[in-house]
């Protein structure tokens, strides 16, 4: 069980005020705050340990390389991946998914080939596939959620046909908090010979993840949501898919030898990690994941379930609040509008005056907004350091919104 007072003390930003009110940070779905241990790691790396990695033979380069490469095994442990060489380091889930689109899908997909998607995907798991639709005639096949916001895995499985070449699916919706049974989808897809890409940007933050057990071919995560630095992230790529991929970006480190007439490539995962990487952000991500594993992802998940249940009860008592999505087992992510109120941005602005930080807009999920029949929502997304008292602060601020806008 988490000691929330102790956890909150680890995050210096939570002690500040915004507009004269204690900060209530409920925008974790967009980007999470950083614990002091991550901030210290970044400061130490830049102050005393910085050098370029891999190619240097001097002391600082060796230190930086050891710490940077050590993150690969940390990510593998965090994701339940036995072979760390299946972890490709990058700037986040967006780069990871684009890498799969360019390096794996583009060379092998033909006009009429299908990609199965859910309607609640983040744009990062939509736009790269639109590139293939525009440029190569690939067909995007959409699966809807039900009235509760749940995604029936059988509906995804039933969408797999003879022309399906990939299923690209979120593990947890950044708008609705819906958790998807990706293991059931992967089991069925594998039996049909269809690879599965899972966007784990949200799921890996809120619950234990075991990628080897899930059985997917690709699993993308992003560091800034995992209490780590922006510009850090990784994607798991199954070794069979790694062997099928051509290089994504060319440059240093991803090569074995370059001549005037030819080039030969490094072994995976280095083959897909060109140029000087985000050295310090990646090292910071490793520290963030170690921090989360020390807390225990089961403990994090249990705490957030309690928060979710309390928030559902409190928010559900506001009969003028329209909540989007109440799928069983959802995460502590709540998207909403107010009856008779103006734009979601108006709501967010009033909440901010009370020190409550939420997100407003389409949340990079416009197909889902269209499905829900709205143009935008406000979203309160909870993290491991949030409290029931902050749920109460959100409700108090929403009541003020209702008085001013309702």
């Amino acid at each position: 069980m988490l000691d929330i007072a102790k956890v909150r003390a680890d995050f210096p930003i939570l002690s500040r005020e915004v507009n004269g009110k204690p900060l209530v940070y409920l925008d974790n779905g967009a980007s999470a705050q950083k614990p002091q241990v991550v901030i210290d790691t970044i400061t130490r790396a830049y102050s005393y340990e910085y050098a370029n990695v891999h190619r240097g033979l001097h002391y600082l380069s060796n230190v930086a390389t050891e710490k940077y490469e050590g993150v690969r095994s940390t990510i593998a442990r965090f994701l339940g991946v036995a072979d760390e060489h299946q972890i490709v380091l990058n700037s986040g889930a967006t780069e990871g998914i684009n890498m799969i689109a360019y390096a794996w899908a583009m060379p092998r997909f033909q006009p009429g080939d299908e990609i199965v998607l859910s309607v609640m995907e983040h744009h990062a798991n939509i736009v790269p596939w639109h590139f293939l639709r525009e440029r190569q005639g690939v067909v995007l096949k959409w699966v809807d959620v039900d009235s509760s916001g749940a995604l029936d895995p059988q509906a995804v499985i039933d969408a797999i046909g003879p022309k399906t070449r990939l299923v690209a699916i979120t593990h947890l919706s950044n708008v609705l908090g819906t958790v998807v049974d990706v293991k059931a989808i992967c089991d069925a897809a594998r039996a049909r010979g269809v690879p599965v890409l899972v966007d784990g940007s949200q799921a890996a933050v809120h619950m234990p993840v075991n990628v080897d057990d899930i059985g997917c071919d690709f699993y993308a995560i992003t560091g800034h949501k995992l209490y780590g630095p922006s510009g850090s992230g990784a994607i798991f790529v199954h070794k069979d898919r790694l062997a099928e991929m051509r290089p994504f970006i060319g440059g240093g480190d991803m090569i074995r030898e370059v001549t005037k007439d030819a080039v030969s490539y490094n072994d995976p995962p280095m083959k897909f990690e060109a140029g000087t990487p985000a050295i310090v952000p990646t090292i910071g991500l490793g520290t963030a994941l170690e921090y989360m594993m020390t807390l225990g992802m089961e403990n994090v998940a249990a705490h957030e379930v309690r928060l979710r249940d309390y928030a559902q009860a409190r928010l559900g008592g506001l009969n003028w609040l329209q909540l989007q999505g109440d799928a069983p087992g959802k995460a502590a992510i709540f998207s909403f509008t107010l009856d008779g109120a103006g734009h979601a941005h108006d709501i967010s602005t009033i909440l901010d005056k009370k020190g409550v930080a939420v997100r407003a807009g389409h949340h990079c999920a416009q197909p889902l907004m269209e499905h829900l029949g709205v143009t935008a929502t406000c979203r309160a997304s909870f993290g491991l350091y949030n409290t029931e008292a902050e749920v109460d602060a959100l409700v108090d601020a929403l009541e003020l919104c209702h008085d001013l806008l309702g």
Side-chain angles (χ1 to χ4, degrees):
M1 187 172 181
L2 296 185
D3 181 342
I4 296 303
K6 183 177 183 301
V7 168
R8 288 181 63 82
D10 291 337
F11 291 80
I13 200 169
L14 299 181
S15 65
R16 69 159 298 169
E17 292 187 346
V18 170
N19 292 321
K21 305 290 183 182
L23 171 64
V24 176
Y25 188 79
L26 302 180
D27 194 21
N28 298 285
S31 200
Q33 298 299 338
K34 320 306 171 192
Q36 187 65 52
V37 65
V38 171
I39 297 168
D40 290 344
T41 292
I42 293 169
T43 301
R44 182 172 60 252
Y46 276 128
S47 298
Y48 305 111
E49 300 168 348
Y50 182 77
N52 211 331
V53 293
H54 299 143
R55 294 178 290 278
L57 296 177
H58 57 84
Y59 175 81
L60 285 179
S61 181
N62 289 334
V63 169
T65 299
E66 181 179 356
K67 293 201 170 188
Y68 175 83
E69 281 298 327
V71 177
R72 204 182 303 274
S73 63
T74 300
I75 294 170
R77 284 190 290 114
F78 182 75
L79 292 178
V81 173
D83 182 2
E84 68 181 69
H85 296 99
Q86 297 179 109
I87 301 296
V88 179
L89 301 173
N90 55 35
S91 63
T94 297
E95 181 183 342
I97 295 171
N98 273 273
M99 181 186 76
I100 303 310
Y102 279 94
W104 179 79
M106 192 172 286
R108 55 184 22 84
F109 285 16
Q110 301 298 321
D113 286 348
E114 296 175 351
I115 300 173
V116 174
L117 305 163
S118 85
V119 74
M120 63 182 179
E121 300 307 312
H122 188 281
H123 291 170
N125 197 27
I126 296 176
V127 178
W129 314 124
H130 269 304
F131 289 169
L132 271 66
R133 179 192 60 77
E134 292 174 341
R135 301 168 190 178
Q136 296 184 212
V138 170
V139 175
L140 305 187
K141 197 170 182 180
W142 298 90
V143 180
D144 284 340
V145 296
D146 66 20
S147 59
S148 74
L151 180 66
D152 181 359
Q154 190 59 49
V156 178
I157 294 165
D158 290 345
I160 298 173
K163 292 187 176 181
T164 303
R165 297 293 176 262
L166 178 70
V167 175
I169 205 81
T170 186
H171 198 172
L172 195 160
S173 168
N174 71 309
V175 176
L176 304 177
T178 300
V179 179
V180 178
D181 186 352
V182 290
K183 179 173 171 54
I185 294 169
C186 289
D187 288 345
R190 185 166 55 250
R192 292 162 171 80
V194 176
V196 179
L197 180 146
V198 179
D199 179 359
S201 299
Q202 295 290 336
V205 181
H206 300 292
M207 61 190 192
V209 169
N210 188 308
V211 167
D212 283 351
D213 180 62
I214 290 169
C216 57
D217 296 82
F218 314 100
Y219 195 98
I221 61 170
T222 194
H224 68 95
K225 299 182 193 297
L226 286 160
Y227 307 96
S230 58
S232 66
I235 186 166
F236 160 83
V237 183
H238 190 277
K239 60 184 179 180
D240 292 345
R241 304 289 83 79
L242 279 172
E244 297 170 347
M245 288 166 57
R246 68 184 184 185
F248 172 42
I249 300 175
D253 259 8
M254 52 78 68
I255 57 90
R256 190 178 303 282
E257 185 178 7
V258 177
T259 70
K260 291 180 180 179
D261 301 315
V263 57
S264 60
Y265 302 116
N266 211 333
D267 294 330
M270 300 297 292
K271 183 178 180 179
F272 306 105
E273 297 177 4
T276 298
I279 299 166
V280 176
T282 300
I283 292 170
L285 172 59
T287 298
L289 298 184
E290 293 285 6
Y291 175 82
M292 295 178 73
M293 287 188 284
T294 298
L295 293 178
M297 288 307 297
E298 295 84 358
N299 294 328
V300 170
H303 169 67
E304 292 189 11
V305 165
R306 288 190 292 271
L307 272 180
R308 176 203 67 197
D309 292 346
Y310 184 72
Q312 279 182 317
R314 294 279 349 247
L315 295 172
L318 306 176
N319 58 15
W320 35 263
L321 189 75
Q322 299 300 315
L323 287 170
Q324 301 289 345
D326 59 352
K330 67 170 283 179
I333 297 174
F334 299 91
S335 290
F336 54 84
T337 56
L338 269 67
D339 288 349
H343 194 276
H345 291 167
D346 300 327
I347 301 169
S348 176
T349 299
I350 294 172
L351 295 182
D352 183 59
K353 297 299 183 184
K354 301 289 285 184
V356 179
V358 299
R359 178 83 16 180
H362 53 64
H363 315 297
C364 293
Q366 286 180 301
L368 179 58
M369 294 292 110
E370 181 181 8
H371 177 78
L372 297 173
V374 297
T375 57
T377 68
C378 279
R379 182 187 67 190
S381 49
F382 292 81
L384 59 83
Y385 40 59
N386 292 124
T387 66
E388 292 182 353
E390 291 182 315
V391 175
D392 295 336
L394 170 63
V395 171
D396 289 345
L398 285 171
E399 287 177 336
L400 174 62
C401 282
H402 181 242
D403 291 342
L404 294 175
L405 300 175

